[in-house]
Amino acid sequence: MDDISIVQKEAGLKYLFLTFLKIGCVSFGGHMALIAVVQKEMIEKDKTLSQENLLNAVSIASLLPGPLAVNVVSYIGYHLHKKNGLLVSMLGILLPACILMFVLSWCYFNYIHVKDLSGIMAYTVAAVSAIILTTGLNIFLKEVKGHNGKIALCLISIILLYFIKGYLIILLLILIGGLIGVYFKLANLADTGGAKFTWERLSSGAKIGLSSLLLLYAAFISGLYRNTDLILLKIASVFSGISLSLFGGGYVMIPIMQSLFVTELKWLSNQEFIDSIAFSQLTPGPILVSAFFTGYKLAGVAGASLATIAIFVPSSILMIIVSKIFKNNADSTVMKNALAGIKPVVVGMIIASGIKLFFSVPSTPINVALFVIAFILSFRFKFNPVYLIIISLLIGTAVHFMG
């Protein structure tokens, strides 16, 4: 279906900033939680984004390095308002987590160690998992239901992703889904010949961007940052290198970051590193917002800001460059068939993520009740997920401090 028939309202820069700021305040539970809220807010409620564009964003982001959630937001912002849209969208989604991380970091290094509040998050995760599952089921009903091949591909993806961990299985399933889509022509296109897939020449801006990213990555893997005493230059090199190395989510990079920051560079003690990861879990942002904590210790607010920019921007730039190649072939028969095979895998990713997230927290009566209520309110009554997450956060806070 064409985007014009789905998207009814124009999304201005103010809308993008305020919408992603709101989403950024409640995006607990990982990248699929953010995608679930985007689907509810921008597709179902505001009708400023098409479901096809969201699925395309997830498909591309899953194949590239960097935090998936931020890359998806970058794609959406750029798709709707080019460079300005990308900037305001990234600012909106990261600002809440960075502000909270600033408060936590300041208290940690200047006043007191922050009390462990991780118990609060279990209740929020229960509601978030229900929202993610609802999103997956809704997209399943629209994109997968009614086609046996797509249903089989989706179910196989759910099973494999639930039992097998790691980025390689995600990459493999997406590639297999694309190949199956092309081979079996899952897009069901009319036999009109269709457009051919072409490799368009990159623009000068894209070439400069790719060259800059290659230089940054080369500087990182060669260890050039060891040859300078300028801490801001070191921060920029190390965190941009991490951004371009990040395949499979923030958790995959934790051992590498620990080795770099604690053992090699000695920027953090082991306890400080563990605390930075714990703090990132308390924020409504990606786990890599922990970069703010490290940068803050090394060079205050300037270091924190640079570390945050360096860990999120390079992978977002790569995402935009690749998406341009993707967009140039949007009418390609091969691309449409490939996407028809990839989408059931992406739906499987969302559903498996919701199931795994629910079983990651203790199955207490309160957690189970929150999950069931959130699922019913979200799936049956289309209740706003922002309010569901806020309510679960308030319940978690009350239980934590009264228990």
Side-chain angles (χ1 to χ4, degrees):
M1 185 179 293
D2 196 4
D3 285 354
I4 296 174
S5 62
I6 300 173
V7 181
Q8 299 175 1
K9 300 178 183 178
E10 182 179 352
L13 292 176
K14 182 180 178 181
Y15 167 84
L16 283 175
F17 175 74
L18 294 177
T19 298
F20 282 119
L21 183 68
K22 179 170 67 173
I23 293 173
C25 289
V26 295
S27 295
F28 297 96
H31 57 265
M32 286 304 173
L34 180 141
I35 290 164
V37 179
V38 168
Q39 200 267 349
K40 293 284 185 182
E41 286 289 307
M42 299 186 72
I43 297 176
E44 294 186 8
K45 178 174 170 281
D46 296 338
K47 302 187 187 303
T48 51
L49 182 72
S50 73
Q51 188 164 273
E52 181 180 358
N53 273 316
L54 180 60
L55 291 176
N56 289 346
V58 177
S59 300
I60 299 172
S62 299
L63 294 169
L64 298 176
L68 188 145
V70 177
N71 283 355
V72 168
V73 170
S74 301
Y75 177 97
I76 293 171
Y78 188 85
H79 171 76
L80 295 176
H81 268 287
K82 301 300 179 185
K83 294 177 183 178
N84 290 336
L86 182 150
L87 292 173
V88 300
S89 298
M90 286 189 69
L91 179 62
I93 204 69
L94 291 173
L95 194 58
C98 288
I99 290 174
L100 182 54
M101 185 59 82
F102 170 74
V103 173
L104 292 170
S105 300
W106 184 85
C107 290
Y108 188 90
F109 290 116
N110 296 286
Y111 187 49
I112 56 172
H113 284 250
V114 182
K115 184 180 179 180
D116 178 23
L117 302 175
S118 58
I120 295 173
M121 304 313 298
Y123 303 99
T124 305
V125 169
V128 168
S129 62
I131 294 167
I132 295 173
L133 192 57
T134 297
T135 300
L137 290 175
N138 282 330
I139 300 176
F140 176 90
L141 294 175
K142 294 176 182 177
E143 299 284 341
V144 180
K145 183 182 177 183
H147 193 292
N148 292 335
K150 292 180 180 179
I151 292 173
L153 195 55
C154 182
L155 292 177
I156 291 171
S157 298
I158 293 171
I159 294 169
L160 291 177
L161 290 169
Y162 183 81
F163 289 104
I164 303 176
K165 296 180 180 180
Y167 174 73
L168 288 179
I169 185 64
I170 296 174
L171 181 62
L172 185 62
L173 282 171
I174 289 175
L175 292 175
I176 290 174
L179 291 173
I180 289 175
V182 172
Y183 185 79
F184 290 102
K185 298 180 176 155
L186 294 184
N188 294 323
L189 299 173
D191 189 18
T192 57
K196 292 183 178 180
F197 187 93
T198 59
W199 292 98
E200 298 287 344
R201 293 185 63 184
L202 292 175
S203 65
S204 298
K207 288 179 180 178
I208 294 172
L210 271 180
S211 299
S212 301
L213 294 178
L214 285 172
L215 287 174
L216 283 172
Y217 191 63
F220 173 69
I221 60 175
S222 64
L224 284 180
Y225 55 84
R226 299 188 187 97
N227 301 322
T228 180
D229 293 327
L230 298 174
I231 190 61
L232 291 180
L233 189 57
K234 276 192 174 184
I235 289 173
S237 177
V238 170
F239 283 103
S240 60
I242 292 173
S243 176
L244 295 170
S245 304
L246 178 66
F247 285 94
Y251 290 102
V252 176
M253 288 300 293
I254 287 177
I256 298 173
M257 291 166 66
Q258 187 172 25
S259 177
L260 270 172
F261 300 160
V262 178
T263 306
E264 180 184 338
L265 296 168
K266 302 189 185 304
W267 283 351
L268 302 174
S269 68
N270 193 57
Q271 186 59 50
E272 286 173 339
F273 178 79
I274 293 171
D275 291 341
S276 74
I277 300 300
F279 288 169
S280 71
Q281 296 292 81
L282 292 175
T283 73
I287 194 171
L288 291 180
V289 79
S290 59
F292 190 100
F293 178 96
T294 306
Y296 184 85
K297 181 190 177 183
L298 296 173
V301 174
S305 302
L306 182 58
T308 304
I309 291 170
I311 207 164
F312 289 114
V313 171
S315 59
S316 293
I317 293 173
L318 181 61
M319 174 80 176
I320 298 308
I321 294 172
V322 173
S323 70
K324 286 183 177 181
I325 299 173
F326 177 89
K327 189 175 181 180
N328 288 337
N329 290 280
D331 294 326
S332 163
T333 301
V334 171
M335 182 66 77
K336 287 185 176 180
N337 281 317
L339 285 174
I342 290 173
K343 285 177 182 178
V345 175
V346 173
V347 174
M349 286 170 55
I350 296 172
I351 294 174
S353 176
I355 296 171
K356 289 171 72 174
L357 192 61
F358 173 72
F359 286 111
S360 70
V361 295
S363 298
T364 62
I366 295 179
N367 281 337
V368 173
L370 277 173
F371 174 84
V372 172
I373 293 170
F375 181 83
I376 293 172
L377 289 174
S378 181
F379 187 75
R380 177 67 180 84
F381 298 101
K382 310 299 180 185
F383 200 79
N384 192 312
V386 173
Y387 300 136
L388 286 176
I389 294 171
I390 291 173
I391 291 169
S392 66
L393 187 61
L394 293 174
I395 291 174
T397 303
V399 173
H400 180 79
F401 287 104
M402 294 173 62

Short mmCIF file of all heavy atoms in Angstrom, two decimals, residues 93-105 283-285 289 292 304 308 312:
data_model
loop_
_atom_site.label_atom_id
_atom_site.label_comp_id
_atom_site.label_asym_id
_atom_site.label_seq_id
_atom_site.Cartn_x
_atom_site.Cartn_y
_atom_site.Cartn_z
N ILE A 93 14.94 11.98 21.32
CA ILE A 93 14.93 10.62 21.87
C ILE A 93 16.01 10.42 22.94
O ILE A 93 15.84 9.64 23.88
CB ILE A 93 15.09 9.57 20.74
CG1 ILE A 93 14.49 8.22 21.19
CG2 ILE A 93 16.53 9.39 20.33
CD1 ILE A 93 13.01 8.20 21.33
N LEU A 94 17.13 11.16 22.82
CA LEU A 94 18.25 10.95 23.75
C LEU A 94 18.24 11.91 24.94
O LEU A 94 18.84 11.63 25.97
CB LEU A 94 19.58 11.09 23.01
CG LEU A 94 19.91 9.98 22.00
CD1 LEU A 94 21.17 10.34 21.22
CD2 LEU A 94 20.09 8.65 22.71
N LEU A 95 17.56 13.05 24.79
CA LEU A 95 17.61 14.08 25.84
C LEU A 95 17.15 13.58 27.21
O LEU A 95 17.84 13.83 28.21
CB LEU A 95 16.79 15.29 25.39
CG LEU A 95 17.00 16.59 26.18
CD1 LEU A 95 18.47 17.00 26.15
CD2 LEU A 95 16.12 17.70 25.62
N PRO A 96 16.00 12.89 27.33
CA PRO A 96 15.57 12.45 28.66
C PRO A 96 16.59 11.54 29.35
O PRO A 96 16.90 11.72 30.53
CB PRO A 96 14.26 11.71 28.37
CG PRO A 96 13.76 12.30 27.09
CD PRO A 96 15.00 12.57 26.30
N ALA A 97 17.12 10.55 28.60
CA ALA A 97 18.08 9.63 29.19
C ALA A 97 19.37 10.35 29.58
O ALA A 97 19.95 10.06 30.64
CB ALA A 97 18.39 8.49 28.20
N CYS A 98 19.81 11.30 28.76
CA CYS A 98 21.04 12.03 29.05
C CYS A 98 20.89 12.94 30.27
O CYS A 98 21.81 13.06 31.08
CB CYS A 98 21.48 12.84 27.84
SG CYS A 98 22.14 11.84 26.48
N ILE A 99 19.73 13.56 30.41
CA ILE A 99 19.48 14.41 31.58
C ILE A 99 19.51 13.58 32.86
O ILE A 99 20.13 13.96 33.86
CB ILE A 99 18.13 15.15 31.44
CG1 ILE A 99 18.23 16.22 30.34
CG2 ILE A 99 17.74 15.81 32.76
CD1 ILE A 99 16.91 16.91 30.03
N LEU A 100 18.83 12.43 32.82
CA LEU A 100 18.82 11.56 34.00
C LEU A 100 20.21 11.02 34.28
O LEU A 100 20.64 10.95 35.44
CB LEU A 100 17.83 10.41 33.79
CG LEU A 100 17.67 9.44 34.97
CD1 LEU A 100 17.32 10.19 36.25
CD2 LEU A 100 16.61 8.39 34.65
N MET A 101 20.95 10.66 33.23
CA MET A 101 22.30 10.16 33.43
C MET A 101 23.21 11.25 33.99
O MET A 101 24.11 10.96 34.79
CB MET A 101 22.86 9.62 32.11
CG MET A 101 24.22 8.97 32.23
SD MET A 101 24.26 7.55 33.37
CE MET A 101 23.64 6.27 32.30
N PHE A 102 22.97 12.50 33.59
CA PHE A 102 23.75 13.61 34.16
C PHE A 102 23.51 13.73 35.66
O PHE A 102 24.45 13.87 36.44
CB PHE A 102 23.37 14.92 33.47
CG PHE A 102 23.95 16.14 34.15
CD1 PHE A 102 25.29 16.44 34.05
CD2 PHE A 102 23.12 16.97 34.91
CE1 PHE A 102 25.83 17.55 34.69
CE2 PHE A 102 23.65 18.07 35.55
CZ PHE A 102 25.01 18.37 35.45
N VAL A 103 22.25 13.65 36.06
CA VAL A 103 21.91 13.74 37.49
C VAL A 103 22.56 12.59 38.26
O VAL A 103 23.18 12.80 39.33
CB VAL A 103 20.38 13.72 37.69
CG1 VAL A 103 20.04 13.64 39.17
CG2 VAL A 103 19.75 14.96 37.05
N LEU A 104 22.45 11.38 37.73
CA LEU A 104 23.03 10.21 38.39
C LEU A 104 24.55 10.31 38.46
O LEU A 104 25.15 10.00 39.50
CB LEU A 104 22.61 8.93 37.66
CG LEU A 104 21.13 8.55 37.71
CD1 LEU A 104 20.82 7.41 36.75
CD2 LEU A 104 20.71 8.18 39.14
N SER A 105 25.17 10.75 37.37
CA SER A 105 26.63 10.86 37.33
C SER A 105 27.12 11.94 38.31
O SER A 105 28.12 11.73 39.02
CB SER A 105 27.10 11.20 35.91
OG SER A 105 26.71 10.21 34.99
N THR A 283 17.65 4.45 33.09
CA THR A 283 17.18 5.51 32.21
C THR A 283 16.27 4.94 31.13
O THR A 283 16.34 3.75 30.82
CB THR A 283 18.36 6.24 31.52
OG1 THR A 283 18.93 5.36 30.52
CG2 THR A 283 19.43 6.61 32.53
N PRO A 284 15.43 5.77 30.52
CA PRO A 284 14.56 5.29 29.44
C PRO A 284 15.25 5.31 28.08
O PRO A 284 14.61 5.54 27.06
CB PRO A 284 13.40 6.28 29.49
CG PRO A 284 14.05 7.56 29.93
CD PRO A 284 15.12 7.16 30.90
N GLY A 285 16.55 5.12 28.06
CA GLY A 285 17.30 5.17 26.81
C GLY A 285 18.07 3.89 26.58
O GLY A 285 18.02 2.96 27.39
N VAL A 289 23.87 4.74 26.54
CA VAL A 289 23.88 6.06 27.18
C VAL A 289 24.86 6.05 28.35
O VAL A 289 25.20 7.10 28.90
CB VAL A 289 22.46 6.45 27.63
CG1 VAL A 289 22.08 5.75 28.93
CG2 VAL A 289 22.33 7.96 27.77
N PHE A 292 27.78 8.49 28.49
CA PHE A 292 27.69 9.80 29.15
C PHE A 292 28.42 9.76 30.49
O PHE A 292 29.16 10.69 30.83
CB PHE A 292 26.21 10.16 29.37
CG PHE A 292 25.98 11.57 29.82
CD1 PHE A 292 25.58 12.56 28.92
CD2 PHE A 292 26.15 11.93 31.15
CE1 PHE A 292 25.37 13.86 29.35
CE2 PHE A 292 25.94 13.23 31.59
CZ PHE A 292 25.55 14.20 30.68
N ALA A 304 31.18 14.29 28.48
CA ALA A 304 29.94 13.51 28.43
C ALA A 304 29.19 13.75 27.13
O ALA A 304 28.70 12.81 26.49
CB ALA A 304 29.05 13.87 29.62
N THR A 308 28.67 10.94 24.09
CA THR A 308 27.31 10.59 23.66
C THR A 308 27.14 10.80 22.16
O THR A 308 26.58 9.94 21.46
CB THR A 308 26.27 11.45 24.43
OG1 THR A 308 26.47 11.27 25.84
CG2 THR A 308 24.86 11.04 24.06
N PHE A 312 26.65 7.63 19.12
CA PHE A 312 25.36 7.50 18.42
C PHE A 312 25.38 8.03 16.99
O PHE A 312 24.72 7.48 16.12
CB PHE A 312 24.26 8.22 19.22
CG PHE A 312 23.89 7.53 20.49
CD1 PHE A 312 24.14 8.13 21.71
CD2 PHE A 312 23.29 6.28 20.47
CE1 PHE A 312 23.81 7.49 22.90
CE2 PHE A 312 22.95 5.64 21.65
CZ PHE A 312 23.22 6.24 22.87
#
